[in-house]
Amino acid sequence: MPSIDKTIDQARADLGAPKTPVFDPQAARERLAKARGPVFWRSLEELSDSEGFHAWLRHQHPQLAETLRMDRRGFLKLLGASLALAGLAGCSRPPRTQIVPYVHGVPGQTAGLPRFFATALVRHGFAQGVLAESNMGRPTKIEGNPSHPASLGATDIFAQAAVLQLWDPDRSQAVMHRDATSTWDAFDADFLVRRMRLQPDGAGLRILSGNITSPTLSAQLDALLKQFPRARWHMHEPAGVPTRPLYYRLDRARIILSLDGDFLTDPAAGVRYARDFAARRAPDDPDHPMSRLYVVESTPSLTGSMADHRLPLSSLDIQSLARRLARRLDVADATALPTLATNLDVEHWLDVVADDLKKHRGQSLVVVGATQPAWMHDLGDALNATLGNHGHTAMHIDKVARQPDADGTLPALVKAMHAGAVDTLMVLDSNPVYDAPADMAFDTALRRVPHLIHLGLYRDETARRAEWHLPMAHALESWGDARAFDGTASLIQPLIAPLYNGRTASEMLARLRGDETSDAHALVHRQWRDQLPDEAHWNTALQSGVIPHTTASTHHPKSSTSHMPADAANTPRDNDALELLFRPDPTIGDGRWSNNGWLQELPKPLTHLTWGNPALISPALAEQHQLANGDVVDLHIDGRHLRVPVWIMPGQAPRSVTLHLGYGRRAAGHVGNGQGFDAYTLRTSKHPWSMQGLKLEKTGERYPLADTQHHFNMEGRNLLRVGTLDEYEYNPAFATADDKFPEPPPSLYADRPFDKYSWGMSIDLNACIGCGACTIACQAENNIPVVGKDQVRRGREMHWIRVDRYFEGKPSNPRSYPQPVPCMMCEHAPCEVVCPVDATLHDDEGLNVQVYNRCVGTRFCSNNCPYKVRRFNFLQYADKTTEALMAQRNPEVTVRRRGVMEKCTYCIQRIENAHITADREGRRIADGEVVTACQAVCGAKAISFGDQGDPHTEVSKAKASPRDYAMLNELGTRPHTTYMARVRNPHPDLEGRS
C-alpha cells in the first residue's frame, strides 16, 4: 500500500489555516444538558458548537464568511466587481465544427420521442424489472417496471447507474491474449482445441461465477456437468447471498425486530421492502395501523435509521441478545448465557420487545441479517414459527438461486488450485484476484492454473492475470433471463447491439459444450419454448417484462428448531476487545461499481462521505484514542494490518470498527483506481463479516476525506419536524404549531394568478428512508456532471437534490432522520429579485425557471437562496469530448457550460411533453401523467407531484394533511415544495431509553 504523504489539511495548518475541528464530547454533553426540547444536529463537530468548528467553516467557505462580516459599502464594492467580471466566467461560443441536420428516419422510430423496453437488471444474481428508455437507439435512462414484483415501478441507485456503466469508456473493448490485443476468431480457434482436450470427462475444468438465478444459464450448467462429469461449477459472491429461500411481507407486519438485518437495502428485494415498509408507516391510515420497528445492530444502517427503538451492540452481543429473546419466547432452554458487554438496560428492553411480539402473533416479524451465522438464521426461523408468522409475514419458498455442491465453494476451488488439479479455469463476471478472502491466497493459487479464461465488463485485476480476457456484453446489450427474489422470471432483452462485440455467459457455455447454437436469443427462446410456445406468448412476456406463472410456491419449513452452539455460552469474553466488521459499501457495493462516477460521488446515506471508505468508529472509541475525523490509524488483526483514516459515526457500537468493501482497486478504471482502501486484505474466509481481536494504533498522520455533511448547515433553524404517534393523535397539527405565520404567510407581493396549472411537490418524511436514489435518478435525467473528490472537498458538488441527515439525542445512540431537499420553487422567490439579467424568473405555472443562456454567473441567486439548492459550474465539469459519455445523455436537457447557475426544474422537460400530448388531444394534463425523476425512482413513494391548484390531485391531498409544513415558513417565500412531518411510533415503556 502506498504511504500517506502530508495532506492538504496539514499544509493549510502550516500556513496558519485552522485545523479540521475535533469533536469535543464534554462540550456536546453540556449542550445537550442545557437544551430545552429537541436538538437536531448534522455532525458531531456541530453538536460540540466549538469555536474551532466555526473557524474551520469560515476557512472552508470564505465567500460566505466574508459576506457575513461585510458592511454596506463593502457589499456594494463586491457587487460592482461581480457584475464587471461575471461575463468572463459565463462566456461560451457555438461549436466551430459544421453541424448537419437529421434527414432520414429509422423505421419504427418517431424522431424526438423516446421508446421504452421492458427488461431486467441483475444484481447479485437476482432480477429487478425495469423499463429502459431509448432515445434514437441510445439507452439513456432506467425506470422501474410497475408489473415486476421486485420494483413495482421503482428502482435503486445501482439500476439508475447502469446506463453510465453501459457507456463507460473504460469498459473492456477488445479480446486480450495475455497483454496483446487479439480477436474473437483467434480465441474461438484456441477454445475449440481446448474443448477437444476436455474429452471425455472434463477433468481439470472449473467454472467460477456469481450467484445464478437464470433458468437458461442453470440448464446449460446442468447439461455441461452431465457432459463433463468431472468438471465443477463454483459460486463466489463477496457481498454474500441469502442463506435460505425466504422473503418478508413487511406490509403485513405490525411489530418488526431486526437483528443486524438491513432489509431496506437488501440487494434482491430492498426496493420492494421499502415500498411495503412505508405502506405500514402512515400514522393516519385507519385500515393499517402504524407498524413499530425495533433494530439491534453493530453499525448504523438505513433500516436502523428508520427504527422506533434501536440498540447499538457488537455482533457477539447481538447473538447473546437473540438467545435471551429466545428464552423469553420459550424457543430455547434457559441455559447459561454470556454477559453482555454494554451498559444499556438490555433486559428491560428485551422484556418490552418480547411482550410486543407476543401480543401481535401472526402480525410480527423477526429479521436476521445476512452477516449473522447460520444458527442465528435457524433461531430466527424458530422465533417466527413460535410467533405464528410463517405464511403471513415470513414467506418460505422453493429455491430460486442455483445451489452449489459441497465442493462448489470458493475455498474448494482454491484447494484444488493449490493441489494442481485445475487445468482450465473459466471465470464468468467475477473478480476473485481482488475480492477473494486474504487467507485463501487466491493470487498465489492461480499461478498453478495453466489456463485462465476471464469474461467480464472490465479488464480488472483477475482479467490482467488471464491467458484470455473476453469483453462481456452489458445487460442492456444482452439476451437472457433471471428470477426475482420471489421466483418470478423475466426475460432480459437488449436495447442496443453490443458496443464492443461482447458476449454473454450463456454464449460462452454454449461454445464450451459444442452446442448447435451459441446465439443468446436462440438459447433463451429454446429454454422457454414450452411455457411461451408461440410468438404471441413470447412477445407478451417481452412487453410486460414478466413471464406469467413463474412465481415460486410458498410453504412452511419442515422444522423450525434452534441449533445454537452448545459451547457458545461458556466462551470467555474480553469486553474491552475490539471487533472489526466488514460491510458492502452503501454506494459501490462489493467493488464492481468502483468505476461509476455517479455512485462514487453520491454521498453515503449516513456519513455523507464520497470517494472513500474510512473506518467507522464510535464516539466513545474516538474519545478514548483521541481521534478526529481523518486521523490515520493502523488496524492490526490476525497477523495482517491496514492503514486507514477514521470517521466518527454516531450510533456505532462502542467497541466495533466498520470497514466498507469495494475500495482500494488497482484495475477498476480511471475513476475507481486508487480510491480508498482495500478492506479485502484483512478479510478471511472463516470470518467474512466480523473478526474479534482488533488492535488500533494512532499514527499521527491525516488523510483528506470528501464529505458533504458540513456544506449546508441549518444554523439552528427548524428545518425538520418530528413527533411521536401519541403527539400526532393529540395534536395533528404539531408540525406547524410553532410557525410564526399561518399558511400562506403575509407578503408585500400580490398573489400570482394561475390560469391552468400550479405545479407542486410534497415529500413525506415518514416514508423517506434516505437511500439517495432520488439524487442519482435526477443526475441521470438531467445530465448532471461528476466533479471529483477535490471539488467536493471545496463544496462544489452539482447534485440538484440533496438528502440531508439530522441526528437527535446523545452521540452514542442518536435518532437519525433524512430530508431530501430539491428546489423549493418559491412563489415569492428570493433568487428572482436579485438576478441582474433575468436568468431566474417565475412562469405562470408556478415554476422557478432558470434560463441558462442568460446567466452570466454572478451567483447572486445562490447567495440569496435560503435553502441553498442552487449549484454553480465553477469549471467545465461536463465531459464534451468522450463520445460514449455524450451518447448517454438525455437529449431533452441542455448540457450546461462553465459559469452558469443550475438547479432542480421539477423535470420541466417531462411537464412539457405532457403539455404537448394534452394539447394535441384537447384536454388537461391528468393527475399522475407527469412523474418527476425523483418521484419515479422512490421505492417508498415518499414524493408526490402534480397540480396543487386542483384539490383532487395526490399532491393536493398530501398538502392538505395536518402534517404538511413549509420549510422556513417565516421567510414568506411560499415554497411549492413542502414536507410531511416524520412521526415515530415508540413503545411507551421505552421512550427516552433508546
Side-chain angles (χ1 to χ4, degrees):
M1 172 184 163
S3 61
I4 301 176
D5 300 325
K6 182 186 290 185
T7 63
I8 295 175
D9 286 336
Q10 289 174 313
R12 287 177 174 170
D14 294 341
L15 296 175
K19 295 182 179 179
T20 301
V22 178
F23 168 52
D24 186 344
Q26 183 60 33
R29 284 190 284 267
E30 292 175 358
R31 184 182 178 193
L32 290 173
K34 295 177 182 177
R36 296 295 181 266
V39 177
F40 297 110
W41 39 278
R42 294 279 300 276
S43 67
L44 292 170
E45 292 83 1
E46 182 181 1
L47 177 63
S48 301
D49 198 28
S50 62
E51 175 57 30
F53 169 72
H54 290 287
W56 173 84
L57 191 63
R58 287 193 296 270
H59 188 266
Q60 290 293 100
H61 306 283
Q63 68 276 21
L64 298 180
E66 292 299 324
T67 55
L68 290 175
R69 296 194 299 266
M70 195 174 296
D71 58 13
R72 176 183 174 85
R73 181 183 298 274
F75 178 76
L76 290 176
K77 286 169 61 179
L78 178 63
L79 175 65
S82 299
L83 284 172
L85 296 175
L88 296 178
C91 283
S92 61
R93 63 175 67 88
R96 296 178 178 178
T97 56
Q98 181 183 8
I99 56 176
V100 180
Y102 184 76
V103 179
H104 300 290
V106 179
Q109 174 76 58
T110 303
L113 295 182
R115 304 173 72 191
F116 288 87
F117 297 83
T119 184
L121 297 174
V122 177
R123 184 173 173 224
H124 299 302
F126 292 95
Q128 183 179 123
V130 299
L131 300 178
E133 180 181 1
S134 176
N135 280 280
M136 305 300 288
R138 296 181 296 106
T140 58
K141 184 69 169 63
I142 298 295
E143 304 291 0
N145 184 351
S147 302
H148 197 273
S151 61
L152 298 182
T155 51
D156 58 17
I157 61 174
F158 300 101
Q160 290 297 312
V163 288
L164 184 63
Q165 184 186 60
L166 168 69
W167 296 105
D168 187 353
D170 283 341
R171 274 183 56 191
S172 177
Q173 301 183 16
V175 174
M176 299 294 295
H177 185 227
R178 295 189 174 90
D179 291 327
T181 303
S182 187
T183 65
W184 279 108
D185 289 341
F187 168 75
D188 287 338
D190 181 82
F191 196 53
L192 178 61
V193 174
R194 193 171 313 285
R195 186 172 66 83
M196 297 299 293
R197 292 176 180 171
L198 292 173
Q199 303 293 348
D201 56 7
L205 172 64
R206 303 297 174 108
I207 299 171
L208 177 67
S209 74
N211 189 38
I212 293 176
T213 65
S214 165
T216 298
L217 199 56
S218 186
Q220 286 182 289
L221 281 172
D222 288 340
L224 178 70
L225 297 178
K226 184 177 181 181
Q227 180 180 353
F228 300 116
R230 294 183 64 187
R232 293 291 181 269
W233 168 69
H234 301 265
M235 193 268 283
H236 170 53
E237 278 288 348
V241 292
T243 58
R244 59 202 64 208
L246 166 72
Y247 68 89
Y248 308 114
R249 289 299 303 267
L250 297 167
D251 55 330
R252 300 176 180 174
R254 287 282 306 277
I255 304 297
I256 306 169
L257 171 63
S258 173
L259 300 174
D260 222 11
D262 188 11
F263 55 80
L264 291 178
T265 62
D266 183 90
V271 175
R272 173 64 181 266
Y273 287 165
R275 173 70 56 86
D276 290 350
F277 176 74
R280 288 305 298 260
R281 296 293 289 181
D284 43 16
D285 186 347
D287 298 325
H288 301 92
M290 187 176 178
S291 65
R292 178 176 295 134
L293 174 62
Y294 301 93
V295 173
V296 188
E297 60 186 4
S298 305
T299 190
S301 68
L302 282 183
T303 302
S305 73
M306 300 301 293
D308 297 296
H309 296 287
R310 177 182 177 275
L311 275 183
L313 297 179
S314 70
S315 60
L316 291 180
D317 281 342
I318 292 174
Q319 295 166 19
S320 180
L321 178 140
R323 292 167 177 270
R324 285 168 160 76
L325 177 65
R327 186 174 62 181
R328 284 168 168 80
L329 295 178
D330 300 323
V331 172
D333 295 332
T335 55
L337 296 172
T339 303
L340 287 169
T342 176
N343 297 323
L344 300 174
D345 189 0
V346 174
E347 298 300 335
H348 174 72
W349 198 91
L350 273 174
D351 288 338
V352 173
V353 173
D355 182 65
D356 219 0
L357 290 169
K358 290 178 182 178
K359 289 180 178 178
H360 295 88
R361 294 180 182 273
Q363 293 182 304
S364 59
L365 179 64
V366 178
V367 178
V368 178
T371 60
Q372 289 294 323
W375 70 263
M376 279 283 288
H377 291 268
D378 292 336
L379 182 59
D381 280 346
L383 290 171
N384 280 318
T386 299
L387 294 168
N389 296 333
H390 286 163
H392 297 281
T393 58
M395 314 299 291
H396 289 262
I397 59 175
D398 297 332
K399 293 179 179 179
V400 172
R402 183 182 179 87
Q403 301 298 308
D405 298 328
D407 58 352
T409 62
L410 185 65
L413 171 63
V414 174
K415 182 179 180 180
M417 291 164 63
H418 278 295
V422 180
D423 174 76
T424 300
L425 173 62
M426 178 180 286
V427 178
L428 304 176
D429 194 24
S430 190
N431 188 14
V433 169
Y434 164 68
D435 55 31
D439 60 327
M440 288 187 182
F442 188 93
D443 194 43
T444 302
L446 198 58
R447 297 171 188 169
R448 303 206 63 186
V449 178
H451 307 290
L452 171 62
I453 301 170
H454 179 266
L455 177 75
L457 282 177
Y458 295 88
R459 191 165 180 257
D460 55 27
E461 289 85 348
T462 302
R464 293 174 187 271
R465 294 291 312 278
E467 178 185 11
W468 287 98
H469 164 67
L470 313 170
M472 188 176 77
H474 190 273
L476 296 174
E477 303 169 328
S478 305
W479 282 102
D481 55 10
R483 294 188 182 274
F485 69 96
D486 66 346
T488 302
S490 296
L491 295 176
I492 300 173
Q493 62 174 326
L495 276 74
I496 189 173
L499 296 174
Y500 308 117
N501 199 24
R503 291 180 181 174
T504 66
S506 289
E507 290 174 316
M508 294 302 301
L509 291 185
R511 282 174 167 79
L512 183 57
R513 287 193 59 231
D515 204 328
E516 59 186 11
T517 178
S518 60
D519 177 70
H521 176 270
L523 293 168
V524 177
H525 208 293
R526 183 177 65 186
Q527 175 66 28
W528 293 100
R529 61 189 171 192
D530 293 336
Q531 199 153 346
L532 304 173
D534 52 39
E535 287 302 309
H537 288 84
W538 174 263
N539 290 336
T540 298
L542 281 178
Q543 290 170 353
S544 67
V546 174
I547 301 177
H549 313 301
T550 54
T551 302
S553 58
T554 60
H555 57 81
H556 290 287
K558 293 182 180 179
S559 62
S560 298
T561 57
S562 172
H563 300 286
M564 293 185 292
D567 60 344
N570 301 318
T571 302
R573 291 280 302 277
D574 181 0
N575 292 339
D576 293 327
L578 300 181
E579 70 171 356
L580 179 61
L581 306 177
F582 300 99
R583 297 292 184 270
D585 188 80
T587 58
I588 66 168
D590 57 16
R592 69 189 69 194
W593 295 93
S594 296
N595 208 54
N596 195 293
W598 290 354
L599 296 178
Q600 284 278 12
E601 199 154 289
L602 176 67
K604 303 183 194 305
L606 295 168
T607 64
H608 277 221
L609 287 161
T610 65
W611 297 99
N613 63 330
L616 304 185
I617 62 173
S618 67
L621 194 60
E623 184 176 7
Q624 176 185 343
H625 290 271
Q626 295 296 302
L627 293 170
N629 288 336
D631 284 348
V632 176
V633 298
D634 243 332
L635 302 180
H636 295 264
I637 192 166
D638 199 24
R640 301 176 180 85
H641 78 100
L642 180 67
R643 232 177 201 187
V644 62
V646 300
W647 185 265
I648 306 172
M649 186 69 234
Q652 179 86 356
R655 310 300 295 173
S656 300
V657 177
T658 303
L659 270 180
H660 284 118
L661 307 171
Y663 283 91
R665 294 289 305 275
R666 301 171 296 280
H670 78 280
V671 172
N673 284 346
Q675 301 293 343
F677 304 87
D678 187 0
Y680 288 108
T681 59
L682 299 181
R683 198 184 192 202
T684 64
S685 55
K686 292 183 179 180
H687 305 286
W689 299 115
S690 63
M691 300 177 68
Q692 305 299 318
L694 174 69
K695 302 297 182 182
L696 184 150
E697 295 180 1
K698 184 176 180 179
T699 67
E701 298 176 335
R702 289 189 53 78
Y703 181 87
L705 297 170
D707 75 287
T708 64
Q709 186 75 328
H710 291 308
H711 289 179
F712 308 101
N713 284 299
M714 64 192 300
E715 301 296 343
R717 297 176 296 184
N718 190 15
L719 308 184
L720 184 75
R721 313 287 171 88
V722 181
T724 66
L725 183 59
D726 288 343
E727 290 172 345
Y728 178 66
E729 292 175 345
Y730 176 76
N731 178 21
F734 77 92
T736 56
D738 296 329
D739 280 355
K740 295 181 180 179
F741 301 108
E743 273 300 322
S747 175
L748 296 175
Y749 299 98
D751 290 339
R752 300 177 186 271
F754 294 99
D755 298 331
K756 293 185 178 180
Y757 307 97
S758 176
W759 301 109
M761 179 177 286
S762 175
I763 302 176
D764 188 353
L765 299 180
N766 217 43
C768 175
I769 64 173
C771 64
C774 53
T775 302
I776 289 293
C778 178
Q779 187 161 22
E781 172 73 17
N782 294 293
N783 302 330
I784 297 173
V786 172
V787 303
K789 180 178 179 179
D790 178 66
Q791 293 295 300
V792 172
R793 282 176 51 80
R794 296 171 185 262
R796 295 177 177 179
E797 63 271 18
M798 295 297 294
H799 295 135
W800 287 4
I801 178 172
R802 68 179 191 268
V803 183
D804 291 338
R805 173 70 58 176
Y806 296 101
F807 298 96
E808 178 191 9
K810 298 179 180 179
S812 59
N813 186 23
R815 287 184 282 270
S816 176
Y817 310 108
Q819 184 178 39
V821 185
C823 177
M824 297 291 111
M825 294 292 172
C826 303
E827 188 59 35
H828 297 151
C831 58
E832 296 174 6
V833 295
V834 295
C835 181
V837 293
D838 242 7
T840 177
L841 46 86
H842 225 77
D843 73 359
D844 60 358
E845 295 185 357
L847 298 180
N848 176 247
V849 180
Q850 187 73 22
V851 184
Y852 300 127
N853 60 354
R854 288 184 186 174
C855 181
V856 294
T858 63
R859 291 186 286 162
F860 296 162
C861 57
S862 179
N863 292 335
N864 220 40
C865 174
Y867 306 99
K868 299 307 173 190
V869 293
R870 290 175 164 267
R871 303 290 177 262
F872 183 68
N873 272 282
F874 284 91
L875 302 174
Q876 185 61 61
Y877 297 123
D879 188 335
K880 296 190 175 185
T881 60
T882 304
E883 184 177 352
L885 293 178
M886 291 189 289
Q888 176 274 321
R889 292 178 182 136
N890 185 353
E892 296 184 331
V893 179
T894 303
V895 178
R896 284 77 59 191
R897 299 194 176 203
R898 178 184 181 184
V900 301
M901 189 67 65
E902 56 187 74
K903 65 167 191 70
C904 162
T905 65
Y906 274 175
C907 290
I908 192 172
Q909 65 278 6
R910 299 190 177 196
I911 297 174
E912 290 307 310
N913 285 333
H915 264 300
I916 293 170
T917 302
D919 292 347
R920 186 172 60 244
E921 298 175 2
R923 59 174 177 81
R924 285 181 60 84
I925 298 175
D927 187 33
E929 193 172 353
V930 181
V931 180
T932 63
C934 57
Q935 177 189 10
V937 76
C938 183
K941 297 189 71 174
I943 300 176
S944 301
F945 177 80
D947 181 7
Q948 65 182 20
D950 182 350
H952 303 293
T953 59
E954 288 299 318
V955 70
S956 294
K957 294 175 183 178
K959 288 177 179 288
S961 167
R963 290 192 289 133
D964 181 77
Y965 74 93
M967 187 188 292
L968 299 180
N969 160 276
E970 64 272 17
L971 299 183
T973 59
R974 301 191 183 184
H976 281 214
T977 301
T978 57
Y979 295 88
M980 297 175 71
R982 172 84 171 262
V983 176
R984 298 170 44 246
N985 185 19
H987 193 288
D989 291 342
L990 289 181
E991 180 66 351
R993 293 173 178 261
S994 64

